[in-house]
Amino acid sequence: MSLEFDATLTLGAFTCEASLKANDEILVLFGHSGAGKSVTLQAIAGLMQPVRGRIDINGQAVFDSARGVNVPPQGRAVGYVVQDLALFPQMSVGQNIAFGMPRGAGQSRRQRVERLLAALQLEGYGDRRPGSLSGGQQQRVALARALARDASLLLLDEPFSALDESLRAGLRRELLRLRAERGLTIVFVTHDLREAHLLADRLAVFDAGRVLQCDARESVFRHPASRRVAELTGVANIFEGTVRGIDSGAPVVDVRGLTLRCAPPAMGTGPRPGEAVDICIRAERVVLHRGEPRDHTAVNLLEAAIVEDLAYGATHTLRLTPTGAGPALEVELAARPYEVMGVAGRQTWTVELPPADLHVMARRTPGD
Amino acid sequence: MSWNRHVPGLSGPRLDRTAKTTVAFLAIVVALFFVLPFVGLAQRAVENGGFWDLATHRQTREALWLSLWTSTTTATLAAVFGTPLAYALSRSRFPGKVVVDGLVDLPIVLPPTVAGVALLTAFGRRGLLGEPIDSLTGYTFGFSTTAVIMAQMLVSAPFFFRAARSGFDAIDPQIERVAYTLGASRTRTFLRITLPQAWPALLAGIVLCWARSMGELGATLIFAGNLEGKTQTMPLAIIEAFSGSALGLDGAIVLSLILLGVALAVLTLFRAVAARGLRQP
C-alpha cells in the first residue's frame, strides 16, 4: 500500500502546503496544534477538498485537481480514527465494528466481527455499549471499526492523546503489532515527540502550514534540515557559528571562539568556508569527562561548570556554562550514569562534543 | 456524594435557619399560586355537576376532535418539513446565519394576534397571495380548517424547529465524517447515525409544537374565524362559552378541564418515553 500526497489546502485564512510519501510504513505527521497535520489527514480521507494538487492511494488518484478527480470518502477505502473516537453511542460494540463491513463476501459478518474483537483483545464485549467501556477499550473499538473495512491505509488523528500515559504505551505497542501482522500503511498525527519517535518509520515535520522536512526518522532526528526542525524535534543545543575551513571534507566551525570539528556532510555539498551556519547537538549526545578524557584522540573539548541540575527521575538535565570560550550547553544524562559518575559532587567537567553528533545546517533567513 | 455529609470540614455551603424559613415561605406562596387555579377548576366542575353531559355535548366533541387532529397534522407537517431544514441549518456555515436563526425564533416571541393579522395580509381574501388565488380559483382560506392548521403552523412550528436544531447541533459532526469514511452514504449516515441520536430532541420538539397548537387561540381567531365544527378548536370554544354560547360558563370549565387532562396525559407519556430513551444507550 502506498500513499503519495502533494496538495494545497485552505481553511479560512489558513493555508497548508504539504508533500508526503508513505510506502508500507508508519508515516508520522508531527508538529504543534494548528500546524496543518489534521487537515492534511482529512484531505487524505476525502473529508476536505484541497484547492489544488494530487493524492494517490496505491497508485490510484483519489484527488487530482488537474483532471477533476475527487473520490468521495466512501470510495477511498481508508480507516480513519480521531481523538474523540466518534463511536456510535446507540449501537453495540459489535454493531459499531460491523458498520463499515462490506456486505456478503465469504465469511459471515458475525465471524469477522468476532475475529476483530479477538485481534484487539475485546472478546466478550461485542454486545456492550461503547459508553460502558473504559477509555482504552473504546480506543480499541475505534481501531477495530476502522480495520473492519479491510482498509490497508489507516489514518490516525492523535488517537491516544486523550488517554493516560500507561494506557497509551500499551496501545502504541498494540498498533505496532497490528501493523506488523497486517502489513498496514499508517499515517499517524501527533504533537508528542516521544510518540512520534517511537512509531515513525518516516517523519514529516509540520510548522505553520508547511512541511519543513519529510524523511526517514533517523534522518530527521540526526540531520534536521533547518534550525526550526531542530527546535521542533527537541534539539536542546543549537548555536550560531561560522565555517572556518574544510578539513578533508569535514567542516571546521567557530562557535563563540571555540573551534568545533564536524563530521563530513552525509549528503549534498556541505557549507563553504566563511559561511554563517547553525550547528546543533542533542542534549543526550554530549559527553562529560572528569578531567582529561582517556581517549587522547578526542576532539571538541571544553571546560564547563554545572549551573543547573533538574532531576526528572529517569534522567537529569544539566545546564553548563563554559569557563573559557564556547557556548552554554544542555546535557541529558540517565539516572544511573549520573550516580556512577558522581555528577552531583563535582561542578567543573570536561565536555566533549563528538563530531559525528554535531550537525551543521545552512542558516536561513526568515521567509526563505 | 453522601459520604461527605458526615465530614463537617468537607460539606458544601449549608442553608442556615433564616435561609430555610425564607425558602419555605417562598415555596408555599409559589405552590399556592400555581396549584390553586387547578384546584379551583376541579372544585367548580364537581360543584356544578353535569360534567358528563357537557363533556359529550356535540359542540364539545367537535371542538375537541378538531383540536386533536389539526394539532397532530401541524406537528407532523412541522416534523416532515422542519427536520431536514433544521439539519441543513445545523450543518451549514454561511454569512447571515445569525440572521436566519433570529428570524426562525421570531414567531416564538411574536404575539399570536400579530401572527393572525400577518397571515390575513398574506393569505386572506385581499392578501398578497390570497387575492390572486381567490380570483383564479375562487378558493379562500378564511373559515376553513386549512386556515386553522396554517395559523397553528406559523405559531408552533418554530418550537419544533428550535428543538430539532439544538438536537442536531449537539451531535459531533466528527461522528458523521467517520461514518462516511466507513463507506456509509449521506442518507445512510443520517438515518442510522444522526437521526437515532437526535431522536429525543426531535420528540421533545414534536410534543412542544403539538401542545402549543392545542392551545393556539389568537392567530386562529383572527385568520380562521370561529366557526363551529370547522375552525372552532377547544380554546375558541372556551372563549365563545364565556360570551354566552350553548355551553355556558359551566361548559367553559369543563372544556378547560378536558384540555388540562389532555396536557397532563401527553406530558406523562412524553416523560415516560424520554426516560426510556435516556436509559437505553
Side-chain angles (χ1 to χ4, degrees), chain A residues 97-148:
Chain A
I97 294 173
F99 186 83
M101 277 187 182
R103 286 173 200 287
Q107 292 173 306
S108 78
R109 288 155 78 86
R110 182 157 196 84
Q111 277 175 309
R112 299 187 49 209
V113 169
E114 288 302 326
R115 273 189 32 203
L116 274 169
L117 285 172
L120 285 143
Q121 294 157 29
L122 286 164
E123 286 114 323
Y125 288 101
D127 295 325
R128 297 264 293 267
R129 297 268 167 174
S132 70
L133 268 52
S134 72
Q137 288 168 333
Q138 290 188 20
Q139 191 53 255
R140 289 170 212 270
V141 177
L143 275 173
R145 183 178 62 176
L147 289 170

Side-chain angles (χ1 to χ4, degrees), chain A residues 42 45 47 73-74 78 80 82 84 86-91 99-100 103 129 145-146 149, chain B residues 172 174-175 177-186 188-189 192-194 196-197 280-281:
Chain A
Q42 285 170 17
L47 297 167
Q74 288 88 349
V78 297
Y80 179 61
V82 289
D84 50 7
L87 295 174
F88 308 136
Q90 79 279 15
M91 294 184 188
F99 186 83
R103 286 173 200 287
R129 297 268 167 174
R145 183 178 62 176
R149 252 196 120 186
Chain B
D172 183 4
Q174 195 78 276
I175 220 166
R177 291 146 155 257
V178 168
Y180 297 156
T181 68
L182 291 169
S185 65
R186 277 179 181 271
R188 181 165 178 244
T189 302
R192 294 247 356 242
I193 306 297
T194 315
Q197 286 187 68
Q280 230 168 14

Side-chain angles (χ1 to χ4, degrees), chain B residues 80-96:
Chain B
V80 168
F81 282 86
T83 305
L85 289 176
Y87 179 68
L89 189 63
S90 168
R91 289 293 180 269
S92 58
R93 256 186 273 165
F94 55 90

Side-chain angles (χ1 to χ4, degrees), chain A residues 152-185:
Chain A
S152 42
L153 177 61
L154 214 50
L155 309 174
L156 309 177
D157 192 351
E158 309 230 1
F160 307 148
S161 57
L163 301 173
D164 289 342
E165 181 52 41
S166 57
L167 277 174
R168 258 187 277 170
L171 278 160
R172 287 178 192 138
R173 205 174 295 136
E174 196 127 319
L175 190 68
L176 288 171
R177 178 177 64 77
L178 276 173
R179 182 232 164 187
E181 280 173 12
R182 296 172 169 251
L184 300 166
T185 297

